[in-house]
Amino acid sequence: MIEVKDLVRQFKSGDRTIKPVNGVSFELERGSLASIVGKSGSGKSTLLSLLGALDKPTSGDVVVDGVSLAGLPDSKLTEYRRRDIGFVFQQFNLIPNLSALDNVMLPMEFAGLRKAARAQRARELLAQVQLDSGKHQRRINRLSGGEQQRVAIARALANEPKLILADEPTGNLDEQTGEHIIELLSSLSRDHNTTILVVTHDRSLARRADRRFRLLQGALNEEAAARN
Amino acid sequence: MSVLARSVGNAFRNKIRTAAVVAVLAVAIGLALSMLVANQAVGARIEELNASVGTTLTVNPAGGQGFEGGGEPLTAGEAAAAAAVPNVTSVVGTKALRLRTETTTTTDSTGAAGGATQPGAGGPGGQGASVTTSLTAAVDAGTLGNRNNSGTMNGTATNGTAQAPAFSLPITATGTAAEVDSTGKALDITSGTGLGDYAAASTKALVGTTLAEKNSLKVGSSFTIAGKTFTVAGTFDAGTTFGNNAIYLTLAEAQALAGTPGELSSMVVTVNSMENVDSTKAALQTALGTDKADVTQGQRNLETAVSSLNSVKGISLVAYIAALATAGLIILLIMVMLVRERRREIGVLKAIGARNRTIGVQFVLEALVLVALGSVVGAAIASFASGGIASALISSNSSTAATAQGGPGGFGGGFGGQGGPFGGATQLLSSVTASASPGVIAAGIAAVFAVAVVGSLVPALLTARIRPIEVLRGE
Ligand SMILES: Nc1ncnc2c1ncn2[C@@H]1O[C@H](COP(=O)(O)OP(=O)(O)OP(=O)(O)O)[C@@H](O)[C@H]1O
Ligand SMILES: [Mg+2]
């Protein structure tokens, strides 16, 4: 369970301060699939970075399974990112000179998994996101945008995180592949009790969400659930 | 993929830059290793030289080695005073005589006399009393005679009778109180026996091998000095041409021949151990007085050789440290640059859960990969260059030494006084072959790695300050 309490993140640009996240509060049950929409520059990525402990809020707190992130030292936040969080970045942020396989293995290496075990799991994950096995050893900068996006998703799943934070995970995919990814994410939340928060403008993904939010002028508003 | 594999991969990410960095590092490391090798070789050579000088000190009358001629000769009383100095195990007095061949023409004797009165021309200057002998010098005067005589012959050249080749070199006769040469080394007797009691006057003599051969002398043969008949007790080999153009008598006999009983031209003082040589030298100088005696360690030119080698050693050490520091600085700057360049990527690693330590280690290892490559190339450079660098360093230094020594060296050269040993020292200097021994290279590379770790630690610690949010910043 994740509780967000009156979260504020402000930036100073020149003599102006902007508050893309300005008093956001919500709770998410374990295993739920939630979506966030909002205009470009509305603060969606900023909100995800606060939930994933990449950044620290100006005020407010995120409580994960009863543990307040605000009270944790940096080393514990690193551990939280490694064990509990799977992040799919809007810009993918893969390591360009490593192969697809090595990129997926990286979080497992940090978690101390043995080499054979991580290679096997990385191959399974890449198969799950439908990356051709011929491309597993290919360097990231020789893969297409959509292929890179799928490697990024596989990497986020590597350490079986409790919470997946995905920023536009289907933005670069064709309809069919996108559909497959949506199916993969919703099965994770359904069958593996993984909490998933996606920033998306993909209607078909938003339709699958248990909860739907809209970020507007720093505030997060829940929209009526329309499950089918 | 491990941290190490990733570090190796990262080191080769930009191949052109890696090549440039490795080349610059190789020059610094190669220079450092060359300097280390030179330093070690010179150090070993200095030890060798010091060991060859051994534990003996030479005492000469004050000013005896200068151009002014000697001061007061040394006496038996001073020998006793020297023996009383702590750590002195033995004092051997010597009396040097200059012998000239009886059958010389007037012109030649003028030349020879001129040579004999030249201060500093062989042996302790001014102290060599001149007496006649039936012996002929084994060293052909030849060009040596011409060269050395030209100065003193000027006055007599006008008579046109100067027959330079007919000029004969003097023979050194040393009266010694023990069976040792003037540097305190035991005499190498090649046939016959020693003189027995070196303290008493005796008509027995030791003759140098070449001198014996030249004069067809064998053990038991006789010859004359100042009209007195001496018997050959044995022959000795001093190892040098000039050293073998000499004879040894007992001290008392030599003093009697010179007509100066109780006088010594030098003393050889043996110290009980190498460590005590310096302190004993000072104590001896104080005990005898600076106005009475000069105390020197071994041969003076050897000391000059050692001190010039010492300066080479100092220079090479400073250069080694400087080159090592340069290598460290190169690593520091390159790694700082790489950390700045990969800020965002470091943010990614942190965002997916890498510990600060993991990232720091990765950067240190990457630096070590660069240093390892630099070391391989640098060691190759060093093994080719160190010989040249060392000999360049040494030859530039020994030429300075030669200039300083030029006066007395050139002067006495013909007479074997200082020319022989000085030539030897030059040879010692130039024979320092700085071969790059694997042990020294390995130690040098270990030092380079230590410096690289220190140099890369700063940038590695900088990575700890990069926050994971860097990942969202645009490139
Ligand atoms: N480090 C920062 N310093 C100053 N302003 C920032 C910083 N990071 C983000 N912003 C600003 O905060 C606002 C929200 O940015 P954010 O990236 O969260 O938007 P977004 O909703 O993800 O947009 P998009 O849909 O285009 O990805 C933007 O106006 C952005 O310029
Ligand atoms: Mg965004």
Side-chain angles (χ1 to χ4, degrees):
Chain A
M1 176 137 120
I2 180 163
E3 299 165 64
V4 177
K5 296 175 178 172
D6 204 16
L7 211 55
V8 178
R9 180 66 170 106
Q10 67 178 35
F11 295 111
K12 282 202 170 60
S13 59
D15 47 355
R16 234 158 48 90
T17 54
I18 54 164
K19 292 183 177 178
V21 176
N22 191 7
V24 169
S25 300
F26 67 96
E27 290 179 9
L28 273 183
E29 290 304 317
R30 190 88 206 264
S32 53
L33 172 57
S35 71
I36 300 177
V37 291
K39 283 199 293 192
S40 176
S42 59
K44 305 179 294 295
S45 299
T46 303
L47 176 60
L48 285 198
S49 73
L50 294 172
L51 299 181
L54 300 181
D55 196 9
K56 288 181 179 165
T58 309
S59 67
D61 197 4
V62 178
V63 180
V64 181
D65 293 340
V67 178
S68 154
L69 294 188
L72 292 181
D74 280 356
S75 62
K76 288 283 176 196
L77 290 177
T78 301
E79 189 182 324
Y80 166 72
R81 289 194 295 269
R82 183 168 61 239
R83 282 182 22 190
D84 297 340
I85 300 291
F87 221 116
V88 183
F89 300 98
Q90 197 171 8
Q91 315 277 344
F92 318 142
N93 285 322
L94 298 161
I95 308 295
N97 68 323
L98 297 186
S99 70
L101 200 65
D102 286 334
N103 264 283
V104 179
M105 283 162 69
L106 216 45
M108 296 186 259
E109 181 194 317
F110 297 150
L113 212 66
R114 280 188 309 108
K115 191 165 185 170
R118 33 183 219 257
Q120 164 145 21
R121 177 158 171 77
R123 261 182 237 109
E124 285 166 12
L125 287 168
L126 287 174
Q128 276 186 36
V129 297
Q130 293 186 324
L131 188 76
D132 297 348
S133 60
K135 290 174 181 171
H136 289 189
Q137 303 286 0
R138 200 178 280 188
R139 278 166 56 134
I140 288 302
N141 51 16
R142 305 235 169 96
L143 292 177
S144 75
E147 287 164 340
Q148 289 186 35
Q149 183 149 44
R150 281 177 283 156
V151 175
I153 293 165
R155 181 179 70 180
L157 305 183
N159 284 337
E160 298 184 324
K162 284 194 287 196
L163 173 62
I164 290 173
L165 302 167
D167 208 341
E168 301 273 12
T170 56
N172 290 51
L173 303 178
D174 61 273
E175 204 175 326
Q176 200 186 339
T177 316
E179 197 56 46
H180 174 80
I181 294 299
I182 293 164
E183 184 51 47
L184 175 68
L185 290 177
S186 62
S187 84
L188 278 172
S189 78
R190 204 170 49 234
D191 307 332
H192 290 86
N193 212 21
T194 308
T195 311
I196 297 173
L197 188 57
V198 285
V199 168
T200 186
H201 287 99
D202 185 328
R203 288 222 184 108
S204 117
L205 178 49
R207 210 183 304 129
R208 296 284 196 98
D210 307 314
R211 316 219 3 222
R212 290 190 276 159
F213 297 95
R214 177 175 295 274
L215 190 58
L216 189 65
Q217 283 162 355
L220 195 67
N221 306 304
E222 184 155 8
E223 303 190 329
R227 294 217 83 170
N228 42 354
Chain B
M1 175 140 281
S2 64
V3 183
L4 179 62
R6 214 160 42 242
S7 301
V8 174
N10 280 340
F12 288 101
R13 251 160 108 157
N14 184 332
K15 291 193 179 62
I16 293 172
R17 187 166 66 197
T18 300
V21 169
V22 166
V24 174
L25 272 177
V27 170
I29 293 171
L31 191 62
L33 293 178
S34 300
M35 287 302 153
L36 182 62
V37 168
N39 182 270
Q40 296 293 305
V42 171
R45 191 68 215 175
I46 289 170
E47 262 178 36
E48 231 174 84
L49 286 180
N50 278 333
S52 78
V53 170
T55 57
T56 57
L57 296 171
T58 306
V59 181
N60 287 304
Q65 299 221 328
F67 289 92
E68 299 79 19
E72 287 296 304
L74 298 170
T75 63
E78 274 148 358
V85 170
N87 297 325
V88 168
T89 52
S90 78
V91 176
V92 176
T94 61
K95 176 70 192 172
L97 293 173
R98 183 172 307 281
L99 307 180
R100 62 194 158 77
T101 313
E102 283 157 357
T103 56
T104 47
T105 67
T106 320
T107 315
D108 289 336
S109 65
T110 312
T117 51
Q118 261 175 27
Q127 294 290 320
S130 185
V131 270
T132 57
T133 179
S134 63
L135 298 175
T136 309
V139 180
D140 184 14
T143 52
L144 284 174
N146 276 331
R147 190 190 70 194
N148 283 280
N149 246 8
S150 58
T152 55
M153 290 286 280
N154 272 346
T156 53
T158 44
N159 65 18
T161 57
Q163 296 293 316
F167 165 74
S168 75
L169 285 165
I171 299 159
T172 309
T174 307
T176 176
E179 203 166 284
V180 292
D181 67 10
S182 58
T183 62
K185 273 203 275 294
L187 288 175
D188 178 13
I189 295 179
T190 51
S191 72
T193 61
L195 300 180
D197 182 3
Y198 284 80
S202 148
T203 56
K204 286 193 281 186
L206 290 171
V207 182
T209 47
T210 52
L211 187 62
E213 209 174 301
K214 173 87 178 178
N215 293 282
S216 316
L217 296 177
K218 291 197 176 56
V219 174
S221 312
S222 58
F223 61 95
T224 64
I225 299 173
K228 192 170 174 180
T229 306
F230 285 81
T231 329
V232 177
T235 59
F236 68 89
D237 182 12
T240 65
T241 313
F242 289 108
N244 283 337
N245 183 38
I247 63 174
Y248 280 95
L249 305 171
T250 66
L251 178 60
E253 189 61 45
Q255 287 170 336
L257 283 173
T260 55
E263 277 187 20
L264 300 172
S265 47
S266 74
M267 298 190 285
V268 176
V269 175
T270 308
V271 182
N272 59 2
S273 76
M274 280 288 279
E275 301 87 73
N276 293 330
V277 168
D278 282 344
S279 61
T280 308
K281 184 181 169 191
L284 206 52
Q285 188 68 74
T286 316
L288 299 176
T290 46
D291 55 333
K292 282 263 190 274
D294 285 337
V295 181
T296 51
Q297 186 185 356
Q299 292 141 306
R300 267 204 338 185
N301 47 38
L302 211 54
E303 259 178 48
T304 315
V306 168
S307 79
S308 83
L309 280 181
N310 261 324
S311 75
V312 173
K313 197 178 172 205
I315 292 166
S316 60
L317 185 67
V318 170
Y320 168 63
I321 292 167
L324 212 55
T326 306
L329 198 65
I330 293 167
I331 284 293
L332 177 86
L333 295 176
I334 289 296
M335 294 319 286
V336 166
M337 189 183 83
L338 287 179
V339 167
R340 290 181 62 120
E341 199 175 275
R342 295 199 204 133
R343 268 185 99 78
R344 186 185 165 103
E345 189 176 312
I346 293 165
V348 173
L349 293 175
K350 291 195 174 188
I352 64 174
R355 295 174 189 85
N356 284 339
R357 181 160 41 96
T358 310
I359 297 168
V361 166
Q362 183 184 314
F363 272 86
V364 171
L365 285 177
E366 182 171 343
L368 292 186
V369 170
L370 294 174
V371 168
L373 291 171
S375 295
V376 170
V377 182
I381 292 176
S383 58
F384 286 112
S386 61
I389 289 176
S391 57
L393 271 176
I394 287 161
S395 65
S396 70
N397 258 273
S398 63
S399 64
T400 331
T403 316
Q405 279 274 319
F411 231 108
F415 296 105
Q418 287 179 314
F422 179 71
T426 315
Q427 206 181 331
L428 292 182
L429 284 169
S430 57
S431 73
V432 174
T433 49
S435 59
S437 86
V440 173
I441 294 267
I445 288 177
V448 168
F449 272 81
V451 166
V453 170
V454 174
S456 61
L457 226 46
V458 177
L461 291 176
L462 282 181
T463 62
R465 297 178 48 177
I466 295 172
R467 291 171 307 125
I469 191 65
E470 291 290 336
V471 83
L472 295 191
R473 301 270 149 84
E475 307 225 26

